Every structure is written in C-alpha cells, then in structure tokens.
Amino acid sequence: MRTARTHFPSAVAMHGALLLYMLIALFPIFVILINSFKKRKSIFREPLALPNSDSFSLIGYKTVMEQGDFFLYFQNSMIVTVVSLFFILLFGAMAAYALSEYRFRGNLLMGLYLALGIMIPIRIGTVAILEMMVATGLVNTLWALILVYIAQGLPLAVFILSEFMRQVSDDLKNAGRMDGLSEYQIFFRLVLPLVRPAMATVAVFNMIPIWNDLWFPLILAPGEEVKTLTLGSQVFIGQYVTNWNAVLSALSMAVIPVLILYVIFSRQLIRGITSGAVK
Amino acid sequence: MTALSLKGLNKSFGKVQVLKDINLDVDDGEFVVFVGPSGCGKSTLLRVIAGLEEASSGDVLIGAENVNATPPSKRGIAMVFQSYALYPHLNVRNNMTLALKQEKQTKAVIEQRVAKATQMLDLQDYLERFPSELSGGQRQRVAIGRAIVREPKLFLFDEPLSNLDAALRMNTRVEIANLHRALDASMIYVTHDQTEAMTLADKIVVLNEGRVEQVGSPMQLYNNPSNRFVAGFIGAPSMNFLPADLIHKGDTRTLGIRPEDLFLSDDGVLSATALHVEALGADTNIIAQLGEHQITIRLFGQHSVADGESLKIGFTDEKSFYFDSNGSRVH
Ligand SMILES: Nc1ncnc2c1ncn2[C@@H]1O[C@H](COP(=O)(O)OP(=O)(O)OP(=O)(O)O)[C@@H](O)[C@H]1O
Ligand SMILES: [Mg+2]
C-alpha cells in the first residue's frame, strides 16, 4: 500500500523542507550565540566563524554580570511576563466562557466591544495611560506594566478562546451539571482542560511581545529597581559606541526563559492537536 | 406510585413555543418511550425533566415532590446523552465516579458501585482507558455506566442508540431491556425509531409539534390510534392513506389501511399498478400506483410480482381506519 507515510520521496521532500525552514529560523539565534562568546574584534572580522582558542572570550557575559543589575532586570521581566500571562488567560477565559455559554441581553455587543482592542493599538493611549498611572501612583512599579499588558492581551484572548469554547458541546456541560458540578467547576474542570490548546496559543502569542517590549517599560517604569531586561540591555547600546559583546550576551541570556516557556506551551499545543480534545 | 408527573408544562424559546401543555404520569418502574419526528421537542422535554432547562410554566413532580426549583444533580435522575458526552480528559473510571465524588460518597461505596456497574456492562477491562480509545459501542456502555452508578430513581435516555450501527443497535436494545429488568428504576427513553419504541416500551408517548398526541401501550397505539398522525407514525412501513371516496362515492373521510392488512385478490376493490417490488425474503413490499396515490402492500413470504403488473388489492373492513378532515379518528 502506498500511503503518505510509506511514500519515500514525498517524506524526504517534506522533511527536507521542514529542516530547511528550521535552519533559516535558527540561524540568527545561532549567530548571536556564537558571537556572544567571541572577542570584539573577531565578531567583526569573521561574524560566522565559531569561537576558537584565539577568539574565545567571556568578556560580554562578564560585562553584563558586572554592569547594571542583570539578575534584577531578569527577575522583573519574568514577573511581568508570567503574571500578565496568568491574568490574560484567567480573565480572557472567563469572559470568553460567559460570552459563549450564557444567553443575555447585549451579549453580541459585549463580544464586539471586547474584540475591538484587536484593531486599536494600545500605544495610541500612551499619554492617557501615563496620566492614569501618575494619578494612581503606579509609575515605576511592575504593576503599571502588568496592568497595561493585561489590557493589551485581553481582546485577542477573548476572541480566540470564545471561538474555541463554542465548540465544547452543550451535552458535555449538561453532563457536568447532572453530575453535580457547579458553574465554576464546569468552567475550571471541564471547559478549561478542553480548550488547553487554545490557551497555549494565546499564551505564546502574548508572551513574546510582552517579553520584548521596550515602549512601556521606558515610559511607565524606567526606574532602576523596576527595569525589565529589554530596557536594561539598552545601556550597552549607545549613540556613539555600542558594546556588542555585552549586547549579544544579554540577548543570548534573554532568549532562554522565552524558550523554556515556549517549550512548555508548545507541548500543550501538540497534545491538543493530536488528541482532538475539543469535541 | 408515580415516579414522575408533568402538569401543564409549557416551554418557549423567545416567540417559538416548543412544548405545549404537556401532562403525563410515569409510574414506578415503568419504561416510557417518547417518540416523534425530528424537532418535535423530545430533547427539550427531557431537558426540562432533568432541570437543565427551565419550563416557561407548569410543574415537574418527581416522586410527588415538586422539583421546579431543584438543581439537576439533586433530582435523583441520571441522563444518557445522544452524543454520550463522556469527559474526554478523564478515563472511564473517573468518568463514572465524578458524580459520586461530588456527592461525597465514601471510597468503599464508590468502589462497590463501580464494580457492580462495570460487571453489568462488561467494562472491567476498560476502566483505565480514555474515551478516545474506545469504540462507539463501548463509549455507549460507559455513558450508561455513568448513569447506573448514581443509582437514580429515574433514568433519562436521549436517543442513545442513534450513533450505533444496525447490529450493535439491536444488541444494545436488548441490553437496555435487561438493564431495566435488573434495576427496577423508571426509565424515559427518547427515540424517533419506532422499532425501538415498540420493542422497549411499557408505554409510548407520541409527540408532535410539542403536543402529546396519544399515550398508550405499543399495541394500543398500533391497534387503536386516536388520530391520523399516530396511525401514520406507529408501524413500519407506515399506514396508507386514501380518500374514502374511492370506495364509497361522496365520502369525505380519509381511509387508512396498514400495508400488512392489504392483500392481493382477484375480487379486490382497488386496482393498482406495481411500481417497485422490495423482496426481503421473509416478506415482500410492493409499492404500487393507485390513481394519483402511492400505496405500499406488505405480503408475507416471497411473491413474484413484476414491475408494471396490474394488481387487484383487497382489504377487510375491521382492519381499516377512518379519519375526518382534522385528522381525528372517526371509525
Ligand atoms: N436553545 C434553543 N433555542 C431556540 N430554539 C431551540 C433551542 N433548543 C431547541 N430549540 C427548538 O425547539 C424545537 C425542539 O427541539 P428538540 O431538540 O427538543 O427536538 P427533538 O424532538 O429532540 O428533535 P431530534 O429528534 O432531532 O433530536 C426545535 O424546533 C428547535 O429548533
Ligand atoms: Mg433530540
């Protein structure tokens, strides 16, 4: 039998294409990584060469560790990203469930209103946000960033999750009601596990922009204590001189947590796809 | 004693009235089947009984207690859904025990009830499997098992066999009948398959457009339908309807004769042309054209009738029904 799986040439072509794509995607990261271990001169002389005994140097990492408060920045970024994601997923899922499950007056309008934010970039409101943060005394706190990122992430989260939640069958929720689950238990114990792949998608979509954001940290939380990693790394990029060793090292280290989070979420994604959980 | 009574139930979705003044009693241990065409409100009625949907007006009484305000899980009923509705992320054991854990039953009780149900349904080997790893028939049994472990006074089945193939459907039908005997609980069973209704029911409730058309034992409905809808719905192939005018000139009534009550005979009063012959082995169905009407004749045994052959068809008076223009039975 000639099925797609046993059809040798097409399997080779498919894997070839995927491998090629992987190489293209990984190449910039690879270049950053190898150059972060090189002396400044070798970075510019041979950017694509692997570090050897001549060019090897940890000077970049040393600078990053010594100058600025790298671990504090790192911790700030981590807190902001994780807490924002947690609330985006929690509130997004709850709003999506209410919109998809309950019939009430204004349901459609409410859904449209919540989705409006997808089309309007939150940065338009920067001045107003800054004024609000000043008024509430939240400037230079991590909460300022967390609140903004939650607002930024919710529209897409509500939109994607409510689509998925509509697919969870009514019979299943009714079976839960017959079995004595409360509405909250139905949400947390039946619906959430079933839309886990969608939750992972939302998490991945939101995580990277939050982690990489420079705009809001610069405006709302530039203080030394609350700097995020992206903002903290900017000290190495000067108007006249840029400390490339330090920049590359900082970037290399900044990739790691995102990578870890991504692996966690993507496993959920794959599991969801292969088990056809939403049914 | 009555296990369930419905008093003047109405249910509307917006302007559409789906259930219209339903009154019904179900006795203890009785097997009641709701039949009716698609969209007539069977599932809605079941959901109202279960408490998943609120009636617009009227009362639901379970064991003489008004349960209008009682949540589904406290009504002492269990439901088997058409789509099975097994929790996909829980294995068979956890699917069956969820309700018991919610009821805060002790471990020993849970163990014992699961053991009893799995033994009844032959599910011992599948307890650790997930629903996606089961066949359709096995999922069906798990869904029934999940209802059994709760030991309800009343079971509700919503078209439980409609997703199974013909052979499995027959087996499961027998299994459900056995289960009813073993459990001695009342059961309400929804179907639009009238074979299931005839074979399982103590009492059939025929629904049409949200109204109860007739309630009675299978044979009462077959022998003595109270209107044209019930006459046409019960029995397969369904009853032939002809203007009585064909027999007695000037008669405005409609004549109904079941296909199995027609026979071929040289002095038959109806003449028709055979259009199509279905030879089933044990019996033969002839679809024939009679003027502008099509009729079905069911003959027992094997008969060789050619397409296009002229037929003389007879029937007896005691095996014929008459309906007036509103569809009510008049003779
Ligand atoms: N949530 C709802 N909102 C509006 N109308 C509904 C709703 N649920 C059911 N209906 C309507 O009520 C009527 C009865 O539906 P119901 O599901 O009870 O039919 P049924 O007899 O179970 O049909 P089937 O044999 O196809 O399952 C249908 O006309 C349907 O469109
Ligand atoms: Mg139905």
Side-chain angles (χ1 to χ4, degrees), chain A residues 103 170, chain B residues 11-14 16-19 36-47 53 82 158-159 190-192 207 210:
Chain A
R103 280 169 279 170
D170 282 342
Chain B
K11 170 75 192 170
S12 309
F13 290 109
V16 191
Q17 193 170 2
V18 177
L19 298 178
S38 192
C40 68
K42 305 180 297 286
S43 301
T44 307
L45 181 53
L46 217 54
R47 284 206 301 274
E53 200 93 65
Q82 182 170 2
D158 192 355
E159 307 199 25
V190 165
T191 179
H192 54 234
L207 292 166

mmCIF file of all heavy atoms in Angstrom, chain A residues 103 170, chain B residues 11-14 16-19 36-47 53 82 158-159 190-192 207 210, ligand 1:
data_model
loop_
_atom_site.group_PDB
_atom_site.id
_atom_site.type_symbol
_atom_site.label_atom_id
_atom_site.label_comp_id
_atom_site.label_asym_id
_atom_site.label_seq_id
_atom_site.Cartn_x
_atom_site.Cartn_y
_atom_site.Cartn_z
ATOM 1 N N ARG A 103 -26.822 33.081 27.455
ATOM 2 C CA ARG A 103 -27.593 33.996 26.618
ATOM 3 C C ARG A 103 -28.020 35.164 27.497
ATOM 4 O O ARG A 103 -28.729 34.972 28.473
ATOM 5 C CB ARG A 103 -28.846 33.277 26.097
ATOM 6 C CG ARG A 103 -28.574 32.372 24.907
ATOM 7 C CD ARG A 103 -29.774 31.508 24.623
ATOM 8 N NE ARG A 103 -29.796 30.375 25.526
ATOM 9 C CZ ARG A 103 -30.826 29.540 25.657
ATOM 10 N NH1 ARG A 103 -31.926 29.729 24.984
ATOM 11 N NH2 ARG A 103 -30.758 28.528 26.493
ATOM 12 N N ASP A 170 -22.648 21.227 24.273
ATOM 13 C CA ASP A 170 -23.591 21.505 25.345
ATOM 14 C C ASP A 170 -23.851 20.261 26.183
ATOM 15 O O ASP A 170 -23.991 20.338 27.391
ATOM 16 C CB ASP A 170 -24.924 21.972 24.756
ATOM 17 C CG ASP A 170 -24.850 23.422 24.317
ATOM 18 O OD1 ASP A 170 -23.931 24.119 24.778
ATOM 19 O OD2 ASP A 170 -25.703 23.842 23.522
ATOM 20 N N LYS B 11 -43.127 25.355 27.271
ATOM 21 C CA LYS B 11 -41.762 25.869 27.141
ATOM 22 C C LYS B 11 -41.646 26.645 25.842
ATOM 23 O O LYS B 11 -42.015 26.149 24.782
ATOM 24 C CB LYS B 11 -40.769 24.705 27.138
ATOM 25 C CG LYS B 11 -39.356 25.091 26.785
ATOM 26 C CD LYS B 11 -38.670 25.799 27.926
ATOM 27 C CE LYS B 11 -37.368 26.443 27.504
ATOM 28 N NZ LYS B 11 -36.807 27.324 28.526
ATOM 29 N N SER B 12 -41.182 27.886 25.949
ATOM 30 C CA SER B 12 -40.971 28.679 24.736
ATOM 31 C C SER B 12 -39.530 29.142 24.675
ATOM 32 O O SER B 12 -38.928 29.450 25.701
ATOM 33 C CB SER B 12 -41.861 29.917 24.746
ATOM 34 O OG SER B 12 -43.190 29.562 25.001
ATOM 35 N N PHE B 13 -38.986 29.162 23.493
ATOM 36 C CA PHE B 13 -37.719 29.858 23.247
ATOM 37 C C PHE B 13 -38.086 31.144 22.526
ATOM 38 O O PHE B 13 -38.453 31.103 21.354
ATOM 39 C CB PHE B 13 -36.794 29.018 22.369
ATOM 40 C CG PHE B 13 -36.247 27.799 23.045
ATOM 41 C CD1 PHE B 13 -36.681 26.538 22.687
ATOM 42 C CD2 PHE B 13 -35.301 27.919 24.049
ATOM 43 C CE1 PHE B 13 -36.171 25.416 23.309
ATOM 44 C CE2 PHE B 13 -34.793 26.803 24.671
ATOM 45 C CZ PHE B 13 -35.231 25.551 24.301
ATOM 46 N N GLY B 14 -38.026 32.254 23.201
ATOM 47 C CA GLY B 14 -38.462 33.503 22.581
ATOM 48 C C GLY B 14 -39.927 33.381 22.203
ATOM 49 O O GLY B 14 -40.763 33.098 23.043
ATOM 50 N N VAL B 16 -41.069 31.226 19.936
ATOM 51 C CA VAL B 16 -41.401 29.883 19.465
ATOM 52 C C VAL B 16 -41.807 29.000 20.642
ATOM 53 O O VAL B 16 -41.020 28.794 21.567
ATOM 54 C CB VAL B 16 -40.180 29.236 18.767
ATOM 55 C CG1 VAL B 16 -40.605 27.970 18.048
ATOM 56 C CG2 VAL B 16 -39.549 30.221 17.819
ATOM 57 N N GLN B 17 -43.035 28.500 20.604
ATOM 58 C CA GLN B 17 -43.454 27.606 21.678
ATOM 59 C C GLN B 17 -43.098 26.180 21.278
ATOM 60 O O GLN B 17 -43.588 25.657 20.279
ATOM 61 C CB GLN B 17 -44.956 27.735 21.937
ATOM 62 C CG GLN B 17 -45.320 27.067 23.247
ATOM 63 C CD GLN B 17 -46.735 27.368 23.680
ATOM 64 O OE1 GLN B 17 -47.465 28.058 22.989
ATOM 65 N NE2 GLN B 17 -47.115 26.842 24.827
ATOM 66 N N VAL B 18 -42.222 25.570 22.059
ATOM 67 C CA VAL B 18 -41.696 24.258 21.697
ATOM 68 C C VAL B 18 -42.471 23.143 22.401
ATOM 69 O O VAL B 18 -42.671 22.066 21.844
ATOM 70 C CB VAL B 18 -40.199 24.185 22.051
ATOM 71 C CG1 VAL B 18 -39.649 22.817 21.761
ATOM 72 C CG2 VAL B 18 -39.433 25.231 21.250
ATOM 73 N N LEU B 19 -42.908 23.379 23.637
ATOM 74 C CA LEU B 19 -43.726 22.390 24.355
ATOM 75 C C LEU B 19 -45.062 23.033 24.688
ATOM 76 O O LEU B 19 -45.113 24.161 25.167
ATOM 77 C CB LEU B 19 -43.033 21.944 25.649
ATOM 78 C CG LEU B 19 -41.693 21.246 25.493
ATOM 79 C CD1 LEU B 19 -41.126 20.905 26.864
ATOM 80 C CD2 LEU B 19 -41.826 19.992 24.647
ATOM 81 N N GLY B 36 -41.456 10.699 18.225
ATOM 82 C CA GLY B 36 -41.974 11.834 17.471
ATOM 83 C C GLY B 36 -40.958 12.202 16.425
ATOM 84 O O GLY B 36 -39.800 11.816 16.536
ATOM 85 N N PRO B 37 -41.382 12.941 15.418
ATOM 86 C CA PRO B 37 -40.458 13.319 14.355
ATOM 87 C C PRO B 37 -39.396 14.285 14.867
ATOM 88 O O PRO B 37 -39.534 14.852 15.952
ATOM 89 C CB PRO B 37 -41.353 13.988 13.318
ATOM 90 C CG PRO B 37 -42.570 14.406 14.056
ATOM 91 C CD PRO B 37 -42.733 13.479 15.196
ATOM 92 N N SER B 38 -38.365 14.467 14.089
ATOM 93 C CA SER B 38 -37.272 15.351 14.474
ATOM 94 C C SER B 38 -37.796 16.775 14.703
ATOM 95 O O SER B 38 -38.614 17.261 13.945
ATOM 96 C CB SER B 38 -36.231 15.352 13.359
ATOM 97 O OG SER B 38 -35.075 15.967 13.818
ATOM 98 N N GLY B 39 -37.328 17.378 15.787
ATOM 99 C CA GLY B 39 -37.711 18.764 16.059
ATOM 100 C C GLY B 39 -39.035 18.928 16.779
ATOM 101 O O GLY B 39 -39.518 20.043 16.940
ATOM 102 N N CYS B 40 -39.627 17.823 17.261
ATOM 103 C CA CYS B 40 -40.946 17.942 17.881
ATOM 104 C C CYS B 40 -40.834 18.296 19.363
ATOM 105 O O CYS B 40 -41.834 18.504 20.039
ATOM 106 C CB CYS B 40 -41.740 16.661 17.717
ATOM 107 S SG CYS B 40 -41.079 15.296 18.656
ATOM 108 N N GLY B 41 -39.616 18.354 19.899
ATOM 109 C CA GLY B 41 -39.447 18.795 21.275
ATOM 110 C C GLY B 41 -39.129 17.688 22.271
ATOM 111 O O GLY B 41 -39.208 17.904 23.475
ATOM 112 N N LYS B 42 -38.727 16.522 21.778
ATOM 113 C CA LYS B 42 -38.428 15.407 22.689
ATOM 114 C C LYS B 42 -37.254 15.736 23.601
ATOM 115 O O LYS B 42 -37.336 15.569 24.822
ATOM 116 C CB LYS B 42 -38.096 14.140 21.879
ATOM 117 C CG LYS B 42 -39.162 13.739 20.886
ATOM 118 C CD LYS B 42 -38.774 12.494 20.115
ATOM 119 C CE LYS B 42 -37.550 12.638 19.255
ATOM 120 N NZ LYS B 42 -37.733 13.418 18.018
ATOM 121 N N SER B 43 -36.171 16.205 22.993
ATOM 122 C CA SER B 43 -34.988 16.507 23.807
ATOM 123 C C SER B 43 -35.272 17.649 24.766
ATOM 124 O O SER B 43 -34.798 17.638 25.909
ATOM 125 C CB SER B 43 -33.806 16.881 22.923
ATOM 126 O OG SER B 43 -33.501 15.835 22.055
ATOM 127 N N THR B 44 -36.027 18.620 24.302
ATOM 128 C CA THR B 44 -36.353 19.749 25.168
ATOM 129 C C THR B 44 -37.155 19.274 26.371
ATOM 130 O O THR B 44 -36.873 19.661 27.512
ATOM 131 C CB THR B 44 -37.161 20.799 24.379
ATOM 132 O OG1 THR B 44 -36.443 21.117 23.188
ATOM 133 C CG2 THR B 44 -37.364 22.057 25.186
ATOM 134 N N LEU B 45 -38.124 18.399 26.140
ATOM 135 C CA LEU B 45 -38.920 17.869 27.243
ATOM 136 C C LEU B 45 -38.030 17.130 28.242
ATOM 137 O O LEU B 45 -38.160 17.296 29.459
ATOM 138 C CB LEU B 45 -40.008 16.939 26.688
ATOM 139 C CG LEU B 45 -40.951 16.313 27.700
ATOM 140 C CD1 LEU B 45 -41.584 17.377 28.592
ATOM 141 C CD2 LEU B 45 -42.036 15.499 27.002
ATOM 142 N N LEU B 46 -37.093 16.345 27.707
ATOM 143 C CA LEU B 46 -36.183 15.598 28.573
ATOM 144 C C LEU B 46 -35.322 16.554 29.396
ATOM 145 O O LEU B 46 -35.100 16.338 30.592
ATOM 146 C CB LEU B 46 -35.299 14.713 27.688
ATOM 147 C CG LEU B 46 -34.958 13.338 28.228
ATOM 148 C CD1 LEU B 46 -36.219 12.597 28.598
ATOM 149 C CD2 LEU B 46 -34.163 12.547 27.205
ATOM 150 N N ARG B 47 -34.855 17.625 28.752
ATOM 151 C CA ARG B 47 -34.009 18.579 29.476
ATOM 152 C C ARG B 47 -34.803 19.319 30.537
ATOM 153 O O ARG B 47 -34.268 19.655 31.587
ATOM 154 C CB ARG B 47 -33.367 19.568 28.494
ATOM 155 C CG ARG B 47 -32.218 18.964 27.718
ATOM 156 C CD ARG B 47 -31.244 20.028 27.265
ATOM 157 N NE ARG B 47 -31.879 21.014 26.426
ATOM 158 C CZ ARG B 47 -32.038 20.889 25.109
ATOM 159 N NH1 ARG B 47 -31.582 19.832 24.494
ATOM 160 N NH2 ARG B 47 -32.637 21.821 24.421
ATOM 161 N N GLU B 53 -33.142 22.761 31.687
ATOM 162 C CA GLU B 53 -33.831 23.845 31.004
ATOM 163 C C GLU B 53 -35.043 24.145 31.876
ATOM 164 O O GLU B 53 -35.657 23.238 32.409
ATOM 165 C CB GLU B 53 -34.267 23.342 29.628
ATOM 166 C CG GLU B 53 -34.557 24.389 28.623
ATOM 167 C CD GLU B 53 -33.337 24.722 27.775
ATOM 168 O OE1 GLU B 53 -32.854 23.858 27.023
ATOM 169 O OE2 GLU B 53 -32.884 25.863 27.902
ATOM 170 N N GLN B 82 -27.284 11.696 23.816
ATOM 171 C CA GLN B 82 -27.172 11.185 22.447
ATOM 172 C C GLN B 82 -25.715 11.127 21.988
ATOM 173 O O GLN B 82 -25.293 10.186 21.361
ATOM 174 C CB GLN B 82 -27.974 12.102 21.527
ATOM 175 C CG GLN B 82 -27.982 11.674 20.083
ATOM 176 C CD GLN B 82 -28.987 12.477 19.269
ATOM 177 O OE1 GLN B 82 -29.646 13.378 19.800
ATOM 178 N NE2 GLN B 82 -29.117 12.154 18.017
ATOM 179 N N ASP B 158 -31.528 9.961 25.937
ATOM 180 C CA ASP B 158 -31.842 10.754 24.750
ATOM 181 C C ASP B 158 -31.242 10.080 23.519
ATOM 182 O O ASP B 158 -30.048 10.179 23.281
ATOM 183 C CB ASP B 158 -31.306 12.180 24.889
ATOM 184 C CG ASP B 158 -31.871 13.103 23.816
ATOM 185 O OD1 ASP B 158 -32.589 12.612 22.929
ATOM 186 O OD2 ASP B 158 -31.599 14.310 23.878
ATOM 187 N N GLU B 159 -32.060 9.403 22.756
ATOM 188 C CA GLU B 159 -31.635 8.705 21.542
ATOM 189 C C GLU B 159 -30.284 8.024 21.721
ATOM 190 O O GLU B 159 -29.336 8.321 20.990
ATOM 191 C CB GLU B 159 -31.564 9.686 20.365
ATOM 192 C CG GLU B 159 -32.845 10.441 20.194
ATOM 193 C CD GLU B 159 -32.985 11.060 18.822
ATOM 194 O OE1 GLU B 159 -32.365 10.536 17.879
ATOM 195 O OE2 GLU B 159 -33.732 12.042 18.696
ATOM 196 N N VAL B 190 -35.970 8.442 24.803
ATOM 197 C CA VAL B 190 -36.383 9.230 23.635
ATOM 198 C C VAL B 190 -35.842 8.580 22.370
ATOM 199 O O VAL B 190 -34.701 8.142 22.342
ATOM 200 C CB VAL B 190 -35.826 10.667 23.732
ATOM 201 C CG1 VAL B 190 -35.923 11.368 22.397
ATOM 202 C CG2 VAL B 190 -36.562 11.443 24.788
ATOM 203 N N THR B 191 -36.666 8.495 21.361
ATOM 204 C CA THR B 191 -36.183 7.946 20.098
ATOM 205 C C THR B 191 -37.068 8.453 18.985
ATOM 206 O O THR B 191 -38.182 8.892 19.217
ATOM 207 C CB THR B 191 -36.189 6.407 20.123
ATOM 208 O OG1 THR B 191 -35.729 5.944 18.872
ATOM 209 C CG2 THR B 191 -37.577 5.868 20.385
ATOM 210 N N HIS B 192 -36.565 8.434 17.740
ATOM 211 C CA HIS B 192 -37.527 8.620 16.669
ATOM 212 C C HIS B 192 -37.623 7.359 15.828
ATOM 213 O O HIS B 192 -38.207 7.346 14.771
ATOM 214 C CB HIS B 192 -37.259 9.874 15.833
ATOM 215 C CG HIS B 192 -35.890 9.971 15.271
ATOM 216 N ND1 HIS B 192 -35.103 11.056 15.467
ATOM 217 C CD2 HIS B 192 -35.187 9.111 14.536
ATOM 218 C CE1 HIS B 192 -33.959 10.864 14.869
ATOM 219 N NE2 HIS B 192 -33.979 9.688 14.293
ATOM 220 N N LEU B 207 -45.302 12.314 20.460
ATOM 221 C CA LEU B 207 -45.264 13.783 20.463
ATOM 222 C C LEU B 207 -45.266 14.291 19.032
ATOM 223 O O LEU B 207 -44.683 13.666 18.140
ATOM 224 C CB LEU B 207 -43.991 14.274 21.152
ATOM 225 C CG LEU B 207 -43.880 14.040 22.646
ATOM 226 C CD1 LEU B 207 -42.453 14.270 23.098
ATOM 227 C CD2 LEU B 207 -44.810 14.973 23.391
ATOM 228 N N GLY B 210 -44.603 19.528 19.681
ATOM 229 C CA GLY B 210 -44.666 19.976 21.064
ATOM 230 C C GLY B 210 -45.918 19.570 21.811
ATOM 231 O O GLY B 210 -46.131 19.996 22.948
HETATM 232 N N1 LIG C 1 -31.813 26.586 22.800
HETATM 233 C C1 LIG C 1 -32.768 26.703 21.877
HETATM 234 N N2 LIG C 1 -33.132 27.908 21.400
HETATM 235 C C2 LIG C 1 -34.104 28.038 20.482
HETATM 236 N N3 LIG C 1 -34.781 27.018 19.962
HETATM 237 C C3 LIG C 1 -34.481 25.782 20.385
HETATM 238 C C4 LIG C 1 -33.466 25.559 21.360
HETATM 239 N N4 LIG C 1 -33.382 24.235 21.587
HETATM 240 C C5 LIG C 1 -34.297 23.663 20.786
HETATM 241 N N5 LIG C 1 -34.973 24.587 20.070
HETATM 242 C C6 LIG C 1 -36.063 24.321 19.111
HETATM 243 O O1 LIG C 1 -37.010 23.518 19.754
HETATM 244 C C7 LIG C 1 -37.518 22.542 18.883
HETATM 245 C C8 LIG C 1 -37.427 21.168 19.513
HETATM 246 O O2 LIG C 1 -36.089 20.806 19.639
HETATM 247 P P1 LIG C 1 -35.646 19.434 20.265
HETATM 248 O O3 LIG C 1 -34.159 19.408 20.311
HETATM 249 O O4 LIG C 1 -36.359 19.226 21.541
HETATM 250 O O5 LIG C 1 -36.171 18.417 19.162
HETATM 251 P P2 LIG C 1 -36.105 16.831 19.179
HETATM 252 O O6 LIG C 1 -37.503 16.354 19.221
HETATM 253 O O7 LIG C 1 -35.200 16.349 20.239
HETATM 254 O O8 LIG C 1 -35.505 16.534 17.732
HETATM 255 P P3 LIG C 1 -34.431 15.414 17.306
HETATM 256 O O9 LIG C 1 -35.205 14.158 17.099
HETATM 257 O O10 LIG C 1 -33.920 15.958 16.007
HETATM 258 O O11 LIG C 1 -33.396 15.327 18.367
HETATM 259 C C9 LIG C 1 -36.770 22.669 17.575
HETATM 260 O O12 LIG C 1 -37.610 23.305 16.653
HETATM 261 C C10 LIG C 1 -35.591 23.528 17.922
HETATM 262 O O13 LIG C 1 -35.263 24.353 16.849
#
